[in-house]
Amino acid sequence: MWQSVNACVDVVLSGVKLLEALGLEPGDGKNHAVLTSGQDLREAFAHFMEKGAAAERFFSDADAFHRIARAAAEHPGAQLYVGGNAALIGQKLATNPDLKILLCGPVGPKLHELLDDNVVVPPESMQERDEFHLILEYQAGEEWGRVRAPNANRFIFSHDLSNGALNMLEVFVSSLEEFQPDLVVLSGLHMMEGQSKEARQRRLMEAVASISDIPTDIPIHLELASMTDLDFMSNIVHQQVFPLVNSLGLNEQELLFLTQAAAGPHASLAAWSGVPDVGVVSDILFWILKEHGKTAERASDLTRIHFHTLAYHILVTVDGYWGNQAAAVAAGARAAGTQACATDTIDTSKVFLKAPLEFVTSQLEAPAKISLNPDEPVVRWHREGISFHFTPVLVCKDPVRTVGLGDAISAEGLLYSEVYPQ
């Protein structure tokens, strides 16, 4: 098994408590693509807390960020964890004693101490200083001034230059021959948004060249994360990264941003209202695989998407490439319930059902209408050579920790997925 590319230390604490400790007063929310000050942080946090939506932003002022990071790390309620999508997926997979993980992110002393023993770090990936990401959490119903969170979630920000430049990608590709992986997991493309447009474009081309060097018999999974630059997302979809990977993992925010960036179906939808409509989600997932996935005519390797939102998950695959997907989507949903509640198994007294009990499978085609049956929680349907596996999630009522849930879901789904040899 195998792992790359982004890694950091997550400092997790109450967002409201940190902002109060920094002397920032509650006020109106406003979205910022990049944070430049405490004022921007205050506005962006309020904006996303009010929606109950996850988001991640780059903080451009290094000195101001390090001051805030110090205050966060020293806060009595703060907890330090392994961070970065790739490292989190690796850490989750490493709980399986039969797997060995190679992590090629920038690893400082604190992160090295936090990593599982099954995670191997090449010497070239070690650095003197850790990269810190601040995870500001809020609970369902929590209030800050006039803002009230509809559900629990988190707002993430960092001033992370190593991950932003994908500094470890070449180290990672050069280690492939020795490590002989069964799977490559990539993430961290969203971190490049902190760079200038020119630097980002140049680095993306280099990254594409490196990814192209990975032998074609090794499946590649790309985990997406919160992004703000439509042109950059469009580049990733159209000519650069999507055709080189076999599998994608993403949530509802990333899915909507992707269709807006690449002029896909439902691109005029500004934001989700409540639980994302299953038909709309299915239309976008279908379009990604139909327009950008593998076909007889198209030289793309993309054949699988694992979509996760709070209430339900959908695993979509091009027929003939993947097996065991009903178990894979169920395993991901189970991981969401257990990890959020910090229990080993699903405790029915601590979870509830938020998924629609009836839904249509498309808002564009003649849809099927589906009613959930508790005895068969994974529902399957089919559309032009593409299979959909849907399952509701048993949502934790009082989540202990929301960060890294998407990564745990994707890791578990990959662990249970069978790749058919081509």
Side-chain angles (χ1 to χ4, degrees), residues 42-65:
R42 178 185 73 74
E43 291 174 350
F45 177 77
H47 174 80
F48 287 103
M49 181 179 176
E50 193 160 26
K51 290 178 181 295
E56 186 164 348
R57 294 292 180 265
F58 181 74
F59 198 109
S60 61
D61 182 328
D63 292 339
F65 176 77

Side-chain angles (χ1 to χ4, degrees), residues 175-190:
S175 316
L176 278 167
E177 208 167 314
E178 190 186 342
F179 199 78
Q180 299 277 309
D182 300 308
L183 170 72
V184 164
V185 178
L186 293 175
S187 67
L189 293 179
H190 62 291

Side-chain angles (χ1 to χ4, degrees), residues 189-257:
L189 293 179
H190 62 291
M191 298 295 304
M192 295 169 77
E193 288 196 325
Q195 299 196 312
S196 72
K197 219 163 194 157
E198 296 71 32
R200 189 171 59 202
Q201 194 52 34
R202 188 177 64 246
R203 190 66 188 115
L204 188 61
M205 294 309 291
E206 291 166 0
V208 164
S210 285
I211 297 166
S212 304
D213 288 341
I214 297 170
T216 50
D217 60 334
I218 304 171
I220 303 171
H221 173 81
L222 172 67
E223 192 69 19
L224 292 179
S226 179
M227 294 175 73
T228 60
D229 187 312
L230 288 162
D231 290 340
F232 184 46
M233 185 77 217
S234 177
N235 282 347
I236 289 170
V237 175
H238 282 118
Q239 69 257 39
Q240 320 248 353
V241 183
F242 273 30
L244 300 176
V245 302
N246 306 80
S247 169
L248 279 182
L250 78 177
N251 70 14
E252 76 283 1
Q253 302 296 330
E254 292 134 26
L255 185 77
L256 188 56
F257 188 72

